[in-house]
Amino acid sequence: MTRQMTTEMQQCIDMCHKCHDMCEQMLSHCMEKRSEEAMQMSMALISCADMCRMCADMMMRCSSMAKASSDMVQMCVRMCGMCADMCDTTAEMCRRMETREMADLADTMTQCAAMCRQMTPQTMQMA
């Protein structure tokens, strides 16, 4: 038996997926440049994409359990916090690149970070 996911949790999962996808798309642009700065940005984008995907996956698993333990919910909340930190750090790097595409990606990362920070044990309690 699965539980009903909260709207906040579903929106956060959706934003994590969006951020992941945008990081992956921008990765190919960075790799084409072959500069040291672009390679560092590529590594950050890979890490951010992976973190967003893991965060979304963990929230989906937590929501699929009929009765997630409080420890599991707390781990989900901590994962969301780490994802938010990664998104904020990578967004800062993107903004330093000073391109429209990177600014758009940075905005998405900032939105993702904000949504992840809203995930608490209370917002993860299923209906």
Side-chain angles (χ1 to χ4, degrees):
M1 180 173 180
T2 60
R3 303 184 298 174
Q4 183 65 34
M5 188 181 303
T6 65
T7 301
E8 294 89 351
M9 202 169 175
Q10 183 61 60
Q11 289 171 342
C12 189
I13 290 168
D14 292 344
M15 183 54 77
C16 285
H17 284 147
K18 179 179 179 179
C19 192
H20 170 271
D21 292 346
M22 287 181 74
C23 285
E24 291 286 332
Q25 290 168 5
M26 192 55 69
L27 182 59
S28 61
H29 295 295
C30 285
M31 294 182 114
E32 290 170 2
K33 295 187 180 182
R34 300 189 191 272
S35 69
E36 180 64 29
E37 182 181 45
M39 291 310 291
Q40 288 179 357
M41 189 72 239
S42 296
M43 295 307 290
L45 291 174
I46 290 168
S47 296
C48 190
D50 286 348
M51 183 67 79
C52 288
R53 182 189 41 77
M54 275 193 319
C55 186
D57 288 352
M58 193 164 183
M59 284 188 283
M60 286 188 292
R61 282 187 206 108
C62 191
S63 72
S64 69
M65 293 181 207
K67 183 173 177 167
S69 70
S70 63
D71 288 343
M72 184 63 161
V73 172
Q74 285 296 330
M75 286 173 45
C76 239
V77 170
R78 287 198 319 257
M79 175 62 80
C80 288
M82 289 188 300
C83 185
D85 291 345
M86 177 61 77
C87 285
D88 281 341
T89 298
T90 310
E92 187 177 310
M93 291 176 70
C94 288
R95 286 191 177 90
R96 287 194 298 254
M97 300 287 283
E98 297 181 356
T99 68
R100 182 73 236 144
E101 296 84 9
M102 285 299 204
D104 290 344
L105 178 55
D107 290 345
T108 298
M109 290 174 175
T110 300
Q111 291 172 350
C112 187
M115 289 185 131
C116 283
R117 284 202 174 86
Q118 291 176 1
M119 292 296 101
T120 65
Q122 294 74 30
T123 59
M124 289 189 179
Q125 293 303 315
M126 307 308 152

